[in-house]
Amino acid sequence: MQTALRTSLPDTELATRANFAPHARVVREERPVQTSGLPLSIRGLRKSYGDNEVLRGIDLHIPAGQFVAIVGKSGCGKSTLLRLIAGLEKFDAGSISLGDAVKPEDIRVMFQEPRLLPWARVLSNVEVGLGRDRASSDAHSRAEKALTEVGLTDKRDQWPSILSGGQKQRVALARALVSRPRVLAFDEPLGALDALTRISMQRLLERVWRDQGFTAILVTHDVAEAVALADRVLVIEEGRIAHDVVVNTARPRQRGSAELAGLEGSILNHLLSADDRT
Amino acid sequence: MSLIDSVSLPRSLRLPRVDGLVQWIVPLAIIAIWQVASVTGFVPTRVLPAPSDVLLAGWKLLLSGELARNIWVSFWRASIGFLIGGSIGFAFGLANGLSQLSSKLTDTTLQMVRNVPHLALIPLVILWFGIDESAKLFLVALGVFFPIYLNTLHGIRTVDPQLIEMGRIYGMTDGELFRRVIFPGALPSIVVGIRFALGIMWLTLIVAETIAASSGLGYMAMQAREFMLIDVVVLSILIYALLGKLADSASRVLERLTLSWHPAYWKR
Ligand SMILES: Nc1ncnc2c1ncn2[C@@H]1O[C@H](COP(=O)(O)OP(=O)(O)OP(=O)(O)O)[C@@H](O)[C@H]1O
Ligand SMILES: [Mg+2]
């Protein structure tokens, strides 16, 4: 069963938004102009741990460059799906295809924990992200560029332990970005951050996604975050994709707008009603 | 262990500037009291000679060249024994930390041997090697082996698996993974092992030289005991203490050099 919720923006809404933040209304395209992203096709994907059937047939197509959010109850298999996509684990049945021949550097994952090497300076941590290109002569300059993108140039020679949680996560983002990945998978990357840092990180994620045009897959507990960032929100229930919700709202999006709140409400309802049934 | 005692005090609790001197107040006071007690005859010199006498004895031995020779011999034994035992312990720690097979093959055996106090082997070692150099080197190496082995193994096994997974995701080869993730992650534990091992190194050497040697500090002390030269006995003990302190300082320098990234080693 797949439901598509499409909502269009009422004119009155547009007007109030324009009054609210006149400078923020830069007209941009819905999708990045030229996408470097890879399309992702998943057919009949199954995965179990012992008797625990976690994924029971996932069918999914993600067009190149789309920003997809995945939500669902805790333990429903979101992380498992992400790990399968990233090739960190083997699946039992089905297929995952990522278009043309992919290099390992094309897919990057970001976790809830930054996973920085405490004994390497910030810049070397970013260089780790270059994969096999680590030894190349432009490694330094590429890492520096990635640090600039996340706004942490001044921290390049610091040890990670002096950074704040949000800064560490930005370094992790720079490390993920430095190889110019074509698919970027996030497993609750902002889960451990405070509300304000979270919002600025969400903006950063959206910006780099727009600039670089990778295909983004974001697992999150926060439905508001999902509707604020994604083109499309997938709800996983009982090992399948139970709902596939398209978010058509133009970007940049107004956080807390009635439209997004409405979408958020209806997705939460799906999640809660599933909870009642069990 | 070393991590706990190196947690720095809050700024307000520290005396500014005199930091380096403060730690010497108590030892100097003890020596002063000791001197006074000896000179006034409160402590008979038969029991404990005055510090000035010990110093004098040291000066004489120094002039005769005996002191330098014995210190050198002991120092040489300690270092070579440490190098041998330490590198074997490190190698086994690496192998068993990295390879399941190696661990299954040898770990149980090593853990069993560990429960034998190595000094209990002295009679056997004397039978095997007599009292020549190899006996002392063997004992020191054996004593040093276990702390380094155990701490290397523990360090490698407790490297954050999430970091290892990260390394793999980012395409590190086995060699790179070891160099960039596993070894640096295990280093704090290895350094703790080295500090323990340095303590054991001196202890073993003192005992071994006291029981079976014809040179070295321990031998010097035993000879002095035979001739009732109590000032030389006390001198040897003090030199052991100094050498022990020196080894400890060396390991602290090592800590600072290799663990500069670790917040516990900052601001000291
Ligand atoms: N390595 C593993 N071995 C055994 N069971 C596992 C393993 N990894 C995950 N599971 C199980 O698979 C199920 C799904 O786990 P997963 O981590 O994908 O959930 P999730 O949706 O990410 O949950 P959360 O939102 O809490 O992160 C859980 O029941 C979990 O216990
Ligand atoms: Mg999860």
Side-chain angles (χ1 to χ4, degrees):
Chain A
M1 183 190 71
Q2 296 210 335
T3 347
L5 290 182
R6 281 165 202 280
T7 0
S8 61
L9 203 63
D11 288 342
T12 47
E13 184 76 23
L14 254 179
T16 45
R17 278 173 56 181
N19 292 337
F20 192 73
H23 304 295
R25 294 199 47 78
V26 186
V27 181
R28 288 199 204 169
E29 303 254 306
E30 248 301 276
R31 289 278 154 65
V33 193
Q34 85 280 48
T35 174
S36 66
L38 288 170
L40 175 74
S41 282
I42 297 179
R43 296 259 160 274
L45 187 71
R46 288 172 172 278
K47 170 78 185 175
S48 30
Y49 291 106
D51 290 341
N52 181 5
E53 269 196 294
V54 181
L55 300 179
R56 307 173 192 173
I58 298 273
D59 286 294
L60 173 64
H61 178 78
I62 301 178
Q66 195 172 49
F67 199 133
V68 176
I70 301 177
V71 296
K73 285 192 301 181
S74 180
C76 71
K78 305 182 293 292
S79 299
T80 306
L81 177 59
L82 212 65
R83 297 174 64 84
L84 292 178
I85 293 173
L88 300 181
E89 252 160 275
K90 295 201 166 64
F91 41 87
D92 304 333
S95 68
I96 299 180
S97 77
L98 283 156
D100 45 344
V102 272
K103 296 180 288 166
E105 289 85 13
D106 285 341
I107 307 172
R108 288 297 186 223
V109 199
M110 217 180 126
F111 298 95
Q112 180 167 350
E113 329 76 41
R115 301 196 186 186
L116 303 179
L117 299 174
W119 42 83
R121 307 266 177 187
V122 164
L123 192 71
S124 333
N125 263 294
V126 176
E127 280 172 30
V128 166
L130 287 166
R132 285 171 302 184
D133 293 344
R134 259 188 295 273
S136 73
S137 56
D138 61 343
H140 249 59
S141 59
R142 286 174 70 183
E144 263 166 32
K145 219 171 121 225
L147 263 185
T148 314
E149 268 169 280
V150 301
L152 280 181
T153 330
D154 54 329
K155 297 280 190 266
R156 48 168 287 176
D157 293 323
Q158 302 285 6
W159 298 117
S161 39
I162 70 147
L163 303 182
S164 71
Q167 289 171 332
K168 283 182 191 158
Q169 219 35 322
R170 269 147 76 191
V171 176
L173 179 62
R175 181 180 61 191
L177 290 174
V178 71
S179 65
R180 296 269 149 186
R182 305 171 71 185
V183 177
L184 197 42
F186 305 94
D187 196 351
E188 299 180 35
L190 315 183
L193 304 179
D194 65 90
L196 276 178
T197 316
R198 240 182 125 98
I199 291 178
S200 76
M201 278 296 285
Q202 288 171 1
R203 296 208 169 122
L204 179 62
L205 283 190
E206 190 174 11
R207 203 195 71 219
V208 293
W209 167 73
R210 288 189 144 265
D211 292 348
Q212 303 201 3
F214 48 80
T215 307
I217 307 168
L218 169 73
V219 164
T220 176
H221 271 130
D222 181 352
V223 180
E225 178 173 291
V227 296
L229 290 177
D231 296 321
R232 185 176 165 201
V233 181
L234 305 174
V235 182
I236 296 189
E237 262 164 38
E238 286 156 8
R240 293 192 186 80
I241 293 175
H243 305 283
D244 188 336
V245 184
V246 173
V247 187
N248 267 335
T249 315
R251 295 172 197 269
R253 290 177 181 163
Q254 183 66 44
R255 238 152 275 269
S257 75
E259 187 193 3
L260 292 182
L263 260 180
E264 183 189 341
S266 73
I267 293 172
L268 276 173
N269 274 340
H270 284 309
L271 287 169
L272 291 173
S273 64
D275 211 35
D276 291 342
R277 264 183 272 129
T278 49
Chain B
M1 212 203 167
S2 72
L3 290 188
I4 291 168
D5 64 34
S6 59
V7 170
S8 53
L9 293 169
R11 281 247 159 253
S12 58
L13 284 181
R14 289 217 216 153
L15 297 172
R17 304 205 123 256
V18 281
D19 250 10
L21 301 177
V22 169
Q23 50 181 328
W24 296 107
I25 291 179
V26 175
L28 286 176
I30 290 176
I31 291 177
I33 294 171
W34 172 12
Q35 177 76 33
V36 171
S38 300
V39 171
T40 56
F42 182 70
V43 177
T45 40
R46 251 183 325 104
V47 177
L48 200 62
S52 51
D53 292 343
V54 175
L55 221 60
L56 204 66
W59 180 244
K60 278 187 207 148
L61 285 172
L62 198 65
L63 286 187
S64 72
E66 208 177 325
L67 186 64
R69 192 170 50 80
N70 283 319
I71 289 181
W72 170 248
V73 166
S74 291
F75 180 78
W76 181 85
R77 284 177 187 147
S79 328
I80 302 291
F82 184 89
L83 277 182
I84 296 174
S87 15
I88 300 178
F90 182 66
F92 269 101
L94 283 190
N96 290 1
L98 296 172
S99 145
Q100 289 282 330
L101 178 69
S102 164
S103 171
K104 278 196 183 124
L105 268 177
T106 59
D107 190 51
T108 316
T109 317
L110 290 174
Q111 298 289 351
M112 264 158 49
V113 177
R114 181 171 76 103
N115 288 311
V116 180
H118 67 293
L119 292 177
L121 295 180
I122 287 182
L124 194 60
V125 170
I126 292 179
L127 285 178
W128 286 346
F129 300 105
I131 60 163
D132 71 356
E133 289 313 300
S134 37
K136 265 86 68 185
L137 295 185
F138 180 83
L139 282 170
V140 172
L142 192 65
V144 159
F145 173 86
F146 284 104
I148 297 213
Y149 167 67
L150 291 173
N151 283 284
T152 305
L153 182 64
H154 175 260
I156 288 184
R157 288 206 174 144
T158 51
V159 173
D160 185 354
Q162 293 189 332
L163 287 184
I164 296 179
E165 187 184 63
M166 184 280 296
R168 293 220 181 280
I169 296 173
Y170 283 103
M172 290 188 187
T173 59
D174 285 351
E176 261 183 312
L177 200 64
F178 178 76
R179 211 157 34 76
R180 286 173 174 259
V181 183
I182 298 174
F183 182 69
L187 204 53
S189 179
I190 295 175
V191 170
V192 169
I194 290 177
R195 282 185 72 176
F196 268 113
L198 287 174
I200 291 184
M201 172 185 86
W202 284 119
L203 182 78
T204 313
L205 194 66
I206 295 165
V207 176
E209 285 186 344
T210 309
I211 292 172
S214 51
S215 60
L217 280 172
Y219 170 75
M220 189 173 92
M222 285 320 282
Q223 284 289 98
R225 185 196 56 108
E226 301 239 315
F227 297 107
M228 302 291 279
L229 298 171
I230 193 160
D231 45 358
V232 178
V233 174
V234 173
L235 178 75
S236 328
I237 294 172
L238 289 182
I239 292 177
Y240 270 129
L242 274 178
L243 288 176
K245 172 82 183 128
L246 207 69
D248 199 57
S249 305
S251 69
R252 276 175 189 272
V253 170
L254 184 74
E255 265 175 12
R256 276 161 177 251
L257 287 180
T258 55
L259 303 180
S260 52
W261 53 270
H262 203 299
Y265 295 92
W266 294 349
K267 292 194 197 154
R268 276 205 302 143

